[in-house]
Each structure stands twice: as C-alpha cells, then as structure tokens.
Amino acid sequence: MFQTKICEIIGIKYPIFQGGMAWIADSSLAAAVSNAGGLGIIAAANAPVEYVRDEIRKTKEMTDKPFGVNIMLLSSNADEVAKLVCEEGVKVVTTGAGNPGKYINMWKEHGIIVIPVVPSVALAIRMERTGADAVIAEGCESGGHVGELTTMALVPQVVDAVNIPVIAAGGVGDGRGLAAVFMLGAEGVQVGTRFLVAKECTVHQNYKQKILDAKDIDTIVSGRPTGHPVRVLKNKLARQFQLLEKENAPLDRYEELGRGALPRAVKEGNVDMGSVMAGQIAGLITKEQTAKEIVEEMFAEAEENFRQVAARV
Ligand code: TUI
C-alpha cells in the first residue's frame, strides 16, 4: 500500500527515512533502520572526514540494504565530505542547513541519489532545476535547525511546485502523522525524534529519557538572532539562550554558550547544560523500541487509519 516512487528510486521497502541527526545518527542506527526496510542515514554533521568514512564502512558491514549520508552544509568540512561520499560509493545523499547546488553535478556524475532538505518552495524549485532526485520538505516542528513554515503548510505547497517526489519531515512520530503527510501529497516521511529513542540509537540514556519524559510544550526555538535557530527541549541552557535574546546580546555570546553544547548532551548525557535537540512530537513518544518495531508499527497504524477514515467518509 505504501510503495511509492521513492521506494523504487532508492530500492527500499518502506518510504521512511531516518533523520540525519547531528552527533546522533551513526552506523548503529542507520544500519538498523535500513535493515528494517527504511532508509538509514549517517549524519556527517561537523565530524572529521575519517570518522564519517569509518561510519560508512561500518554500515556497509552491518547491512546490504541502501543507506544514506546527511551532509550539514554549515560544517567547515562539507567540501571534503561531499567528495568522500563519491569515493565511498554512497547511494543516497541528503543535505541540511543550506543550498547544496554546487555539489549536485559531481554527485550525479557518481550516480548518487540527491535529496536536499528544503524549508521553502523557492529552494525546492531551485533544487529540482539543479538535478535533485527528490526533496525533503521539513517543517519547523522538527528538532534541530529549523525554517519558518510548519509541515502542514509547507508540504502541500512544495508538492504543487515540483514534479520530483516530496518527503515530509517535522512533527511525524506515529502512524497518524504518517497517514496525514500522505494526504498532503508526500510520497514518504522522514522521522528523527522517534528514532532517537530506538534501542539501536547510541545517544546517551539521559537524552533518551528527556525525550520520553517530554510534554507537548517542552520544546522551544533558540538562537534566532544567529540566523540558525534550533529547536531544543527546554533546560537550563535553553533558558540562558532566552536571556541572551532578552538582553539583545552580541552574537559572540551565543557562540560562546553554544560551543560544544550538542556533544555535551549526546555523549556526556548533560541534559541541563547541553543542547537537547528534539521535535515537537517528543511529547507523543513514550517508549524505546527497536528500529524494526518503530517502522512496522508506524506503517501498520497508518494503514489502519486510512481504512477507518475511508469507512467514515
Ligand atoms: O539541518 C537540519 N537540522 C539540523 S542541522 C543541525 S547542526 C546545527 N547546529 C547548530 C546550528 C545549526 C546547525 C541540527 N539540526 N535540518 C534541515 C534543514 N535545512 N532545516 C532547515 C534547512 C535549511 C535552511 C536554509 C535548508 C536550506 C536553507 O537554504 C538557505 C539558502 O542558502 O538558500
């Protein structure tokens, strides 16, 4: 029922991507999601190229299914990672936090399937013209770096503007959300926050627990004045960022406060003074499951949803 064009293009069973969560999405999680029939994605974030190469090689050992690498374009080594994915024969590249236009020809020459994250119709159109195979339309319900539009508003507008497949991201954590984005015209979904609590996700247990404990209103967008706003779970650090905004503090104060904040939460488990990036759907997530259980449960739920709604209309 959910086999879409994106499944054919990539060679996956379920049209679900695991978000390329910076510092979190490693070979363990990516291989588990790919083995479950979705598309696992390794986050290059701002890690050294050698680390990313190792993670790609480890993933190849753990799965014979397709997987992807997410390139965070604000990273100082984005150029190097862009070449690395060609050398390593990675099948799918997704990008975030910028315009990957200058790399697309090189990736296409290497037979890579290119799927940029876009926060607007304008960038989606530009990406289609430059040769992208699909786009991920990500609403601001997402965790991490966010644009302005919600998934509900962004996805149908992007669907109407381009002819390539659109994958919806932001605010989807169960089968109901999955069914909903299909109704908006998406051909697939990208899920971050729910996979963060997957058993195979190696993020610190304190981080997982903070997601499991979160309520609907527990996320906040901080760092707007920097031009790179991020959605995080409220904590001491987020409150300090809020104070900076109130004080109209200079940008170097944000830089100082944010330095090392993501690994502090992800690796050290400091969820008070670390950056706990998470989407608004965190409040819905109440249990740790394997990636396979998450994928299968979401699609079974969505199918049941469609059946029930169809019976009512
Ligand atoms: O990239 C993400 N999410 C991220 S990246 C990240 S690491 C980070 N940490 C601190 C500050 C900034 C980043 C954590 N989470 N999602 C995809 C995404 N891409 N969201 C928004 C965008 C985006 C924004 C502007 C994509 C393109 C874009 O284009 C601007 C342009 O140049 O046209």
Side-chain angles (χ1 to χ4, degrees):
M1 165 176 194
F2 289 99
Q3 282 279 321
T4 61
K5 209 152 72 196
I6 199 69
C7 295
E8 259 170 62
I9 295 171
I10 305 176
I12 51 178
K13 182 174 175 194
Y14 296 105
I16 182 166
F17 295 8
Q18 161 247 312
M21 297 168 284
W23 285 87
I24 294 171
D26 61 5
S27 52
S28 170
L29 182 59
V33 173
S34 288
N35 283 330
L39 184 74
I41 295 180
I42 300 164
N46 42 14
V49 166
E50 283 319 308
Y51 168 85
V52 183
R53 192 191 300 277
D54 278 358
E55 289 302 300
I56 293 171
R57 293 188 177 174
K58 279 197 232 166
T59 310
K60 284 179 187 164
E61 278 170 23
M62 289 188 271
T63 184
D64 56 3
K65 303 272 195 313
F67 66 90
V69 171
N70 173 266
I71 303 182
M72 208 276 283
L73 296 166
L74 288 171
S75 165
S76 56
N77 62 7
D79 282 355
E80 284 175 85
V81 182
K83 286 186 205 128
L84 172 74
V85 292
C86 298
E87 286 163 25
E88 290 295 316
V90 169
K91 187 158 186 185
V92 182
V93 166
T94 66
T95 62
N99 179 345
K102 66 175 178 176
Y103 304 120
I104 293 185
N105 279 343
M106 172 177 76
W107 289 334
K108 295 313 298 172
E109 279 163 19
H110 285 81
I112 295 174
I113 299 164
V114 180
I115 313 182
V117 170
V118 297
S120 66
V121 167
L123 192 60
I125 292 172
R126 216 174 324 148
M127 292 297 94
E128 179 177 43
R129 283 199 194 125
T130 324
D133 297 278
V135 288
I136 301 167
E138 187 184 279
C140 59
E141 297 93 324
S142 293
H145 180 43
V146 287
E148 288 294 333
L149 293 177
T150 60
T151 302
M152 185 81 139
L154 177 65
V155 171
Q157 296 190 69
V158 172
V159 166
D160 283 352
V162 299
N163 291 305
I164 50 180
V166 176
I167 313 303
V172 178
D174 68 7
R176 291 169 297 181
L178 176 55
V181 296
F182 269 79
M183 298 313 292
L184 298 177
E187 292 196 32
V189 68
Q190 175 165 284
V191 170
T193 308
R194 180 136 180 214
F195 282 126
L196 225 151
V197 301
K199 292 201 170 135
E200 298 90 344
C201 180
T202 57
V203 72
H204 196 284
Q205 195 61 33
N206 294 354
Y207 199 125
K208 284 191 182 175
Q209 197 56 48
K210 191 133 173 101
I211 304 271
L212 296 169
D213 293 343
K215 296 191 305 294
D216 56 348
I217 57 169
D218 284 349
T219 73
I220 182 184
V221 174
S222 63
R224 284 197 193 278
T226 67
H228 305 297
V230 290
R231 182 176 299 285
V232 293
L233 282 172
K234 289 176 189 167
N235 63 3
K236 213 166 173 180
L237 179 70
R239 279 190 290 278
Q240 293 190 5
F241 272 114
Q242 275 183 309
L243 281 180
L244 293 187
E245 282 188 45
K246 252 192 208 143
E247 290 167 15
N248 253 325
L251 294 184
D252 56 348
R253 299 271 307 282
Y254 287 85
E255 164 79 31
E256 204 181 307
L257 193 58
R259 202 172 301 132
L262 187 54
R264 198 178 303 137
V266 172
K267 302 290 176 200
E268 295 166 30
N270 183 343
V271 293
D272 295 322
M273 278 308 288
S275 179
V276 187
M277 294 184 182
Q280 286 186 322
I281 206 68
L284 193 82
I285 295 166
T286 53
K287 57 183 188 291
E288 276 188 69
Q289 288 169 299
T290 64
K292 188 171 187 312
E293 286 165 346
I294 293 172
V295 170
E296 288 175 359
E297 188 178 290
M298 283 184 68
F299 281 90
E301 245 174 46
E303 215 173 306
E304 182 55 28
N305 257 284
F306 277 127
R307 231 179 264 123
Q308 284 180 9
V309 172
R312 284 203 298 266
V313 292

